[in-house]
């Protein structure tokens, strides 16, 4: 009886091991099938899109797109580099040699809008670095005039003198630089412009007190409440040097925009420069 019980227990253990092994093999088979199906589905989804892209755009059109367009993608812009090598696209039969005649034929400038303060235009048919070089030339090489030296006589505002001078230097001036020579050490009518700024906040806003339970005399009393006065670019006053009052009487130098904030003053604060 003991021998039979041992044999039955051994047989049951072997059956359980066989069942577990069968389950493991079955699970592995299903897992491999799922991964293969998933990979096949992912490949089938991506393949038509790639084939469609290749079918709708030839190699020459793709080269032209890389050379003349910057694409704004979701992660980052593409086609931002210049292809300066002569044999860059030799594998597709496209000559990448730069030619001035070809550049004149392909480049196109279209003005979208133009005002006294802004010019919006589109440039197509050139590499992005060339357009960027043109942008840097427009910023650096166009003559402009701005306030360079600031002599501060009084500044009791919360803005430090260095920050105040920097803000004033960023104000654009409406003046033609062609009528001036490079500045020297001494101020002269043909080299310098002089502006002055005198601003002071001495105002106080009064507010009537009207609370319940107060007498008529108390309700008519006033409470002084300090206010803030903003100093704008229009507060810069031009002071002519020499004969500038006569030569610039038609177009006196003024800031381009008069509503540029310079500083904010509380009662008792002042700026003189």
């Amino acid at each position: 009886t003991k021998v039979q019980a041992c044999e039955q227990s051994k047989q049951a253990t072997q059956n359980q091991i066989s069942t577990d092994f069968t389950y493991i093999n079955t699970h592995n088979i299903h897992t491999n099938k799922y991964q293969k199906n998933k990979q096949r589905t992912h490949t089938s989804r991506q393949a038509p899109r790639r084939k469609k892209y290749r079918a709708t755009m030839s190699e020459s059109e793709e080269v032209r797109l890389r050379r003349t367009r910057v694409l704004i993608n979701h992660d980052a812009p593409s086609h931002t580099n210049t292809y300066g090598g002569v044999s860059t696209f030799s594998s597709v039969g496209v000559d990448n040699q730069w030619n001035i005649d070809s550049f004149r034929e392909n480049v196109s400038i279209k003005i979208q809008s133009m005002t006294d303060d802004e010019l919006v235009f589109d440039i197509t048919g050139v590499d992005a670095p060339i357009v960027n070089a043109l942008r840097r030339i427009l910023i650096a090489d166009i003559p402009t005039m701005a306030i360079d030296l600031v002599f501060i006589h009084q500044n009791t505002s919360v803005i430090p003198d260095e920050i105040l001078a920097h803000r004033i230097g960023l104000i654009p001036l409406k003046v033609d630089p062609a009528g001036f020579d490079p500045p020297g050490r001494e101020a002269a009518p043909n080299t310098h412009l002089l502006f002055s700024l005198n601003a002071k906040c001495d105002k106080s806003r009064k507010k009537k007190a009207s609370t319940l339970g107060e007498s008529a005399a108390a309700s008519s009393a006033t409470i002084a409440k300090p206010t803030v006065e903003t100093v704008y670019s229009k507060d810069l006053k031009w002071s002519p040097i020499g004969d500038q009052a006569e030569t610039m009487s038609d177009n006196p130098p003024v800031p381009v925009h008069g509503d540029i904030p310079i500083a904010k003053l509380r009662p008792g604060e002042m700026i003189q420069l």
Side-chain angles (χ1 to χ4, degrees), residues 150-193:
V150 180
F151 299 93
I152 300 177
H153 302 287
Q154 185 77 339
N155 178 25
T156 58
S157 65
V158 297
I159 300 180
D161 295 347
E162 296 81 2
I163 304 300
L164 181 62
H166 181 263
R167 292 180 62 85
I168 293 176
L170 293 176
I171 298 176
L173 302 178
K174 188 177 181 181
V175 59
D176 186 9
F180 291 85
D181 298 330
R185 294 184 178 181
E186 300 294 334
N190 61 336
T191 58
H192 288 76
L193 290 173

Side-chain angles (χ1 to χ4, degrees), residues 78-237:
S78 60
H79 305 168
T80 57
N81 299 328
T82 180
Y83 302 95
V86 178
S87 60
T88 304
F89 305 108
S90 59
S91 60
V92 294
V94 177
D95 186 13
N96 195 44
Q97 186 176 3
W98 192 84
N99 190 352
I100 185 63
D101 296 332
S102 176
F103 175 78
R104 291 175 179 176
E105 293 178 359
N106 296 328
V107 68
S108 175
I109 301 177
K110 183 178 180 181
I111 298 177
Q112 300 294 340
S113 62
M114 181 173 59
T115 61
D116 295 337
D117 300 330
E118 184 182 45
L119 175 63
V120 180
F121 58 92
D122 295 339
I123 300 180
T124 57
V126 295
D127 292 340
I130 297 179
V131 181
N132 185 45
L134 178 60
R135 179 188 66 85
R136 296 177 66 90
I137 292 173
L138 294 176
I139 293 175
D141 293 345
I142 293 181
T144 56
M145 294 190 67
I147 297 175
D148 186 25
L149 299 177
V150 180
F151 299 93
I152 300 177
H153 302 287
Q154 185 77 339
N155 178 25
T156 58
S157 65
V158 297
I159 300 180
D161 295 347
E162 296 81 2
I163 304 300
L164 181 62
H166 181 263
R167 292 180 62 85
I168 293 176
L170 293 176
I171 298 176
L173 302 178
K174 188 177 181 181
V175 59
D176 186 9
F180 291 85
D181 298 330
R185 294 184 178 181
E186 300 294 334
N190 61 336
T191 58
H192 288 76
L193 290 173
L194 179 62
F195 288 87
S196 62
L197 175 62
N198 295 315
K200 183 179 180 180
C201 180
D202 53 1
K203 299 187 301 181
S204 62
R205 184 172 52 192
K206 296 182 178 181
K207 181 180 180 181
K208 292 184 178 181
S210 58
T211 57
L212 297 177
E214 292 182 349
S215 61
S219 61
S220 61
T222 58
I223 301 176
K225 185 178 180 180
T227 184
V228 176
E229 183 174 355
T230 304
V231 182
Y232 294 97
S233 56
K234 62 183 179 181
D235 297 326
L236 289 170
K237 304 302 180 182

Side-chain angles (χ1 to χ4, degrees), residues 12-28:
T13 303
Q14 292 178 355
N15 293 337
Q16 183 66 27
I17 293 174
S18 178
T19 304
D20 295 340
F21 182 75
T22 304
Y23 171 76
I24 292 173
N25 291 336
T26 305
H27 177 72
N28 292 334

